[in-house]
Amino acid sequence: MVLQVLSDRLSPLSEAVRSRLLPLLAAPPRTASDRVGALKRPDRSLVLRDLTEKVVSYTSNNPDPTGTTPTEKDFATVELEIFDAEGSRIGRTKGAGRMLYRNPGDDHFIAYFGEEITLDDGHVIRAGGLVDDARLTAGEFASFPAVVVAGPLRGAIGYRQFRPLVKESHTTYESAIVLYRK
């Protein structure tokens, strides 16, 4: 009872923060802003390119691991290790994907994939978004928003992208993570 009353009283404040303050905090700086130059500083950005990810664990209700026979009921979980261009392990990622619908325009299946990336340097990144499964299976990059939720660059925003290196196996991926903080 007390919690419900407190929740009811805080609801307008919560809505005000979400609708007014959050867009100001999350919006990227304007191109003409002096803050854009600050993004070049190492303490303001995390740019990880030429990464390789290797599947450690994969579970799915679809027995075809190649991605060539999707259904609207597909759900999968995956864990991968992340390696830099020199082959050193830099972190892990755990994620899950769920097919949402079949696009009537091109008959492609659209999935939501979300993950938590834990880098060995202390950064924890959450990323997620919609993925066109047919394009990913064909070898195109999937790209979606990412946010640092813990670590030195907490609050940094950017994107995460990946694609399978070998279309038929989906066991190794090429990827990148690019984040910045205002």
Side-chain angles (χ1 to χ4, degrees):
M1 176 78 167
V2 172
L3 290 176
Q4 182 61 43
V5 170
L6 183 59
S7 177
D8 291 346
R9 289 186 180 167
L10 291 177
S11 183
L13 177 61
S14 175
E15 179 56 33
V17 168
R18 276 195 306 273
S19 65
R20 294 198 177 118
L21 190 56
L22 189 58
L24 294 175
L25 296 174
R30 295 178 187 197
T31 307
S33 169
D34 293 337
R35 291 184 297 163
V36 172
L39 298 178
K40 291 175 70 175
R41 294 186 0 221
D43 64 327
R44 294 281 188 188
S45 62
L46 179 65
V47 178
L48 302 172
R49 294 192 179 135
D50 301 321
L51 302 176
T52 301
E53 298 184 22
K54 296 182 181 177
V55 174
V56 175
S57 170
Y58 177 80
T59 332
S60 176
N61 63 352
N62 184 331
D64 177 14
T66 67
T68 56
T69 59
T71 74
E72 288 185 24
K73 296 179 182 178
D74 288 2
F75 177 79
T77 60
V78 65
E79 292 182 32
L80 302 102
E81 288 192 328
I82 306 169
F83 300 89
D84 64 15
E86 288 78 40
S88 298
R89 188 192 111 126
I90 63 165
R92 291 178 65 92
T93 178
K94 294 172 95 174
R98 177 177 304 282
M99 285 302 174
L100 298 177
Y101 61 92
R102 186 180 224 162
N103 191 11
D106 55 17
D107 222 23
H108 290 188
F109 285 89
I110 306 300
Y112 175 82
F113 182 76
E115 66 185 330
E116 186 164 286
I117 303 163
T118 304
L119 298 178
D120 295 341
D121 67 3
H123 288 98
V124 178
I125 302 160
R126 286 201 193 131
L130 298 180
V131 176
D132 183 319
D133 191 63
R135 289 182 176 181
L136 181 67
T137 298
E140 291 184 31
F141 275 102
S143 185
F144 40 74
V147 177
V148 178
V149 295
L153 281 173
R154 183 177 182 180
I157 60 173
Y159 68 91
R160 190 277 200 272
Q161 60 183 190
F162 62 93
R163 71 177 178 164
L165 279 177
V166 178
K167 296 176 194 174
E168 296 80 28
S169 68
H170 286 253
T171 57
T172 305
Y173 292 82
E174 175 184 2
S175 67
I177 303 167
V178 178
L179 303 153
Y180 71 93
R181 183 176 64 201
K182 295 196 271 186

